[in-house]
Amino acid sequence: MILDVSRSHIKVEIRGRVVTVPGEMFFPPNDKMGFAIFEREIKAWDSPNESVKLTTEEINEVIEDIRQDFAKGGHTLEVE
């Protein structure tokens, strides 16, 4: 579930843990929001779990969660 979207990140909660996904907001021609996330920069959970690295499966789950939320609103998501 997306908790927060800013110009430079999206905060997502998965199974009680939060991760900040770095990226960049943009505005595509459809008048909706677009966001490019930087997959290589998704590394660890936020505090108090900052010492726990995300697995490849967890990173994929985070991206899919964002993708589903964006699709509901007609927004654009790019994964770089």
Side-chain angles (χ1 to χ4, degrees):
M1 165 178 53
I2 293 177
L3 302 175
D4 179 53
V5 178
S6 79
R7 293 183 63 84
S8 62
H9 72 264
I10 299 175
K11 281 194 183 275
V12 179
E13 181 179 358
I14 302 285
R15 291 186 309 281
R17 292 195 257 184
V18 176
V19 62
T20 300
V21 178
E24 187 173 317
M25 185 182 293
F26 64 90
F27 297 95
N30 66 3
D31 291 330
K32 297 283 185 170
M33 181 182 66
F35 205 91
I37 59 175
F38 306 135
E39 182 176 9
R40 291 183 310 271
E41 294 184 30
I42 306 170
K43 300 191 189 271
W45 296 100
D46 290 358
S47 181
N49 301 296
E50 66 272 9
S51 62
V52 180
K53 302 247 184 257
L54 279 92
T55 65
T56 301
E57 291 80 19
E58 289 169 328
I59 291 170
N60 291 336
E61 184 178 358
V62 166
I63 292 170
E64 186 56 31
D65 186 73
I66 295 170
R67 191 179 311 281
Q68 288 177 6
D69 277 359
F70 269 51
K72 289 177 192 172
H75 303 295
T76 302
L77 181 68
E78 293 183 6
V79 180
E80 298 181 2

